[in-house]
Amino acid sequence: MYQLRSLVFLLAAISGRGFAAIGPIASLTVSNRNIAPDGFTRSAVLAGGTFPGPVIQGTKGGQFSINVINSLTDTSLDLGTSIHWHGLFQQHTNYVDGVVSVTQCPIIPINSFLYDFKAIGQAGTYWYHSHYRNQYCDGLRGALVIYDPDDPQADLYDVDDAESTVITLADWYHFLSTNAPAIPVFNSTLINGKGRYSGGPDIDLAIINVTAGKRYRFRLVSISCDPNFTFSIDGHQMTIIEVEGNNVQPLVVDSIQIFVGQRYSFVLNADQPVDNYWVRSLPPGQGYTGLTNLAVLRYQGAPRANPTTDPTTNIPVSQLPLVETNLHPLTSSPVPGNPTPGGADININLAIAVSGAQFTVNDVSFDPPSVPVLLQILSGAKNASDLVPAGSIYALEPNKSVELTIPALVIAGPHPIHLHGHSFYVVRSAGNSSYNWDDPVLRDVVSIGGAGDNVTIRFFTNNPGPWFLHCHIDWHLNAGFAVVMAEDVPDVPTQDIPIAWEALCPAYNTFVSVTGHL
């Protein structure tokens, strides 16, 4: 019994250890191992052998060359893999966007693929994850940071370090994604890879270290598969300065509701008495019994112990919650199109519904094609009408303003919608009936809210390629909640596609036919 308990705590320590940073040139091995980040041992799919995976870092204008090596062996889980670089536009490199069935076929075991790209003009907080079936729910997820040597808000903080100021929020499951129930429910919340589940062992919580008198730029990343979280730190306010790669005017808040795939940089001033403070990441409908949904902010010199306050009874009431409409770009940026609803060159309404166990968008459930959409284009398809899956492909002409309206689906919501290849202007936010045509926030994941909401976004078509738009609750995506924006199809073949990319589909098709594994 002692040996078993020791093993559980060892596995938890491995999965929740401090972040190591790699990149921008690196190899990233995807492999299986047993981990127990909340004290429950299960097989996982890991990047670099850890959960979360190592932070990948680079510098604005630099080149990323990440060689992803597939060393997966556990046949109870998916054996193919891919990596999507969430939030990076992949301008001129759509083929490394990493979306199986849209921009590539999976990488098979004992093979590798080099994701070689430049994040043109981008800096900020991003993340990476598998975009193959529900694989990222099994652990293949991590943060990515691009530093700006000329950050216009650098004078607001003293510390910004990929190994100590990245905060990831994740859900964790005790079942495998390949054996998920009809309605998957997560078992625990993990903050920086550590957490507890109801009735589980007393795993050490994640520690976020600060020194009194310093100002920290924390990069908050939701790497969740499903729940949103309300994030706060007892006794401290947070000043948001970046939203998903877009600098914003400093906004002081004391809580942040963060949805799947969203990211915020906030400055925390370590100006409180030296002590330990609860860090809270609360999913809807839960509490803190058994020290679930918690981590610890520890000032240097404080006791190496949990805070002395009871987190279940001393729950701060938020006075300054984040409201999306209070976020505004640091530098003014004109919204494309005319300043009126329906005033873009291309206006599309996306009506979301549920049909049986499947989601539909405008009455069509996304059915992943066996031939990726990009390969279809490169093989000669000239028009979006020539592409499959039929009904899920939306043609977008180049150099046009686009407006998407997405009325809320209350069932299983709120739903966070992510668009690949672009940031977009949120001209109408959830919980708001008015429009902002002057200075709305730019981001790449937006909650479409609840009853009565009609979230509206705008973007400009300057990036040829098939770009996925989907609910980022991964279970919903893989139940059909997705479409493809086929942008400037005639110009897609001008991209210089590497031979290694062309080899992915034949290798995968042979692998499946020989082994029967996906």
Side-chain angles (χ1 to χ4, degrees):
M1 180 66 183
Y2 173 78
Q3 290 180 331
L4 176 61
R5 183 175 177 85
S6 297
L7 176 62
V8 166
F9 277 85
L10 174 61
L11 291 170
I14 291 172
S15 62
R17 64 191 179 187
F19 292 121
I22 64 171
I25 300 172
S27 289
L28 188 67
T29 298
V30 177
S31 60
N32 301 116
R33 72 185 300 177
N34 289 330
I35 63 171
D38 61 1
F40 180 91
T41 303
R42 55 153 290 181
S43 180
V45 180
L46 303 177
T50 65
F51 182 81
V55 175
I56 296 175
Q57 61 182 347
T59 304
K60 185 176 182 179
Q63 189 80 16
F64 285 84
S65 294
I66 308 297
N67 188 39
V68 174
I69 302 166
N70 185 341
S71 295
L72 296 171
T73 57
D74 187 344
T75 55
S76 65
L77 290 161
D78 294 318
L79 292 179
T81 196
S82 76
I83 299 287
H84 168 57
W85 315 95
H86 182 120
L88 300 185
F89 301 153
Q90 300 299 352
Q91 195 109 27
H92 312 304
T93 52
N94 174 262
Y95 55 88
V96 290
D97 195 42
V99 185
V100 170
S101 80
V102 178
T103 63
Q104 73 167 84
C105 283
I107 308 164
I108 65 171
I110 322 177
N111 278 251
S112 65
F113 180 70
L114 178 65
Y115 290 90
D116 194 24
F117 57 89
K118 181 174 287 188
I120 299 172
Q122 291 189 266
T125 309
Y126 307 91
W127 65 300
Y128 64 93
H129 59 85
S130 171
H131 224 306
Y132 180 48
R133 293 160 55 89
N134 290 120
Q135 188 177 63
Y136 98 72
C137 301
D138 291 313
L140 208 177
R141 25 183 166 158
L144 187 154
V145 176
I146 302 178
Y147 292 99
D148 183 356
D150 300 313
D151 180 10
Q153 302 196 86
D155 61 336
L156 299 181
Y157 56 88
D158 306 307
V159 183
D160 181 18
D161 173 13
E163 297 189 3
S164 65
T165 59
V166 172
I167 302 174
T168 61
L169 309 179
D171 49 354
W172 192 246
Y173 299 83
H174 293 174
F175 52 82
L176 308 183
S177 72
T178 49
N179 192 34
I183 301 178
V185 178
F186 66 103
N187 295 94
S188 60
T189 296
L190 305 182
I191 303 176
N192 283 354
K194 289 185 176 183
R196 299 184 183 185
Y197 66 94
S198 179
D202 293 341
I203 295 297
D204 287 343
L205 301 176
I207 306 297
I208 300 168
N209 292 294
V210 296
T211 298
K214 291 189 178 295
R215 302 166 303 165
Y216 291 80
R217 176 177 180 162
F218 284 109
R219 297 174 182 267
L220 183 67
V221 186
S222 171
I223 60 172
S224 173
C225 271
D226 184 349
N228 67 81
F229 302 102
T230 297
F231 179 86
S232 62
I233 301 175
D234 285 13
H236 295 77
Q237 293 181 336
M238 302 168 282
T239 302
I240 295 174
I241 60 170
E242 178 231 342
V243 178
E244 294 156 28
N246 300 284
N247 293 320
V248 297
Q249 298 173 24
L251 177 66
V252 177
V253 301
D254 60 12
S255 68
I256 298 172
Q257 186 178 22
I258 184 169
F259 294 87
V260 181
Q262 293 186 331
R263 295 92 62 206
Y264 296 94
S265 280
F266 66 83
V267 176
L268 180 137
N269 191 351
D271 59 358
Q272 297 301 300
V274 171
D275 207 343
N276 295 292
Y277 298 85
W278 291 118
V279 176
R280 302 173 186 262
S281 181
L282 189 64
Q286 294 197 16
Y288 304 102
T289 301
L291 302 189
T292 56
N293 306 314
L294 294 166
V296 176
L297 180 76
R298 176 167 296 157
Y299 278 67
Q300 183 179 11
R304 298 174 63 85
N306 288 335
T308 56
T309 58
D310 182 351
T312 66
T313 57
N314 295 277
I315 302 176
V317 177
S318 180
Q319 303 297 319
L320 292 170
L322 170 62
V323 177
E324 187 174 64
T325 52
N326 290 337
L327 294 166
H328 304 288
L330 182 64
T331 303
S332 62
S333 176
V335 176
N338 294 321
T340 182
D345 297 319
I346 302 170
N347 301 280
I348 302 173
N349 183 68
L350 300 176
I352 316 301
V354 176
S355 178
Q358 294 293 110
F359 288 87
T360 62
V361 181
N362 289 342
D363 300 320
V364 179
S365 183
F366 184 80
D367 184 16
S370 58
V371 178
V373 177
L374 177 58
L375 182 55
Q376 296 175 48
I377 295 171
L378 297 175
S379 299
K382 302 298 184 185
N383 303 297
S385 59
D386 300 326
L387 301 171
V388 295
S392 294
I393 311 290
Y394 292 76
L396 301 180
E397 297 176 12
N399 302 312
K400 301 292 185 182
S401 57
V402 180
E403 178 177 296
L404 302 181
T405 52
I406 316 173
L409 173 68
V410 176
I411 298 171
H415 299 276
I417 303 299
H418 173 48
L419 173 63
H420 293 221
H422 293 273
S423 285
F424 48 75
Y425 297 83
V426 185
V427 295
R428 177 173 168 177
S429 292
N432 196 287
S433 60
S434 62
Y435 294 82
N436 181 352
W437 307 108
D438 298 321
D439 58 354
V441 68
L442 272 160
R443 63 185 324 154
D444 58 58
V445 181
V446 66
S447 166
I448 60 173
D453 281 324
N454 188 28
V455 166
T456 305
I457 65 174
R458 289 270 184 96
F459 62 98
F460 191 75
T461 55
N462 56 4
N463 193 8
W467 302 111
F468 220 16
L469 182 142
H470 59 90
C471 178
H472 218 303
I473 296 175
D474 209 45
W475 312 107
H476 298 176
L477 161 59
N478 289 287
F481 197 157
V483 296
V484 174
M485 296 289 159
E487 184 174 338
D488 188 9
V489 170
D491 281 333
V492 172
T494 62
Q495 299 183 25
D496 186 16
I497 308 295
I499 295 174
W501 182 90
E502 297 176 352
L504 289 172
C505 289
Y508 177 72
N509 293 336
T510 299
F511 174 78
V512 173
S513 65
V514 170
T515 67
H517 292 300
L518 297 177

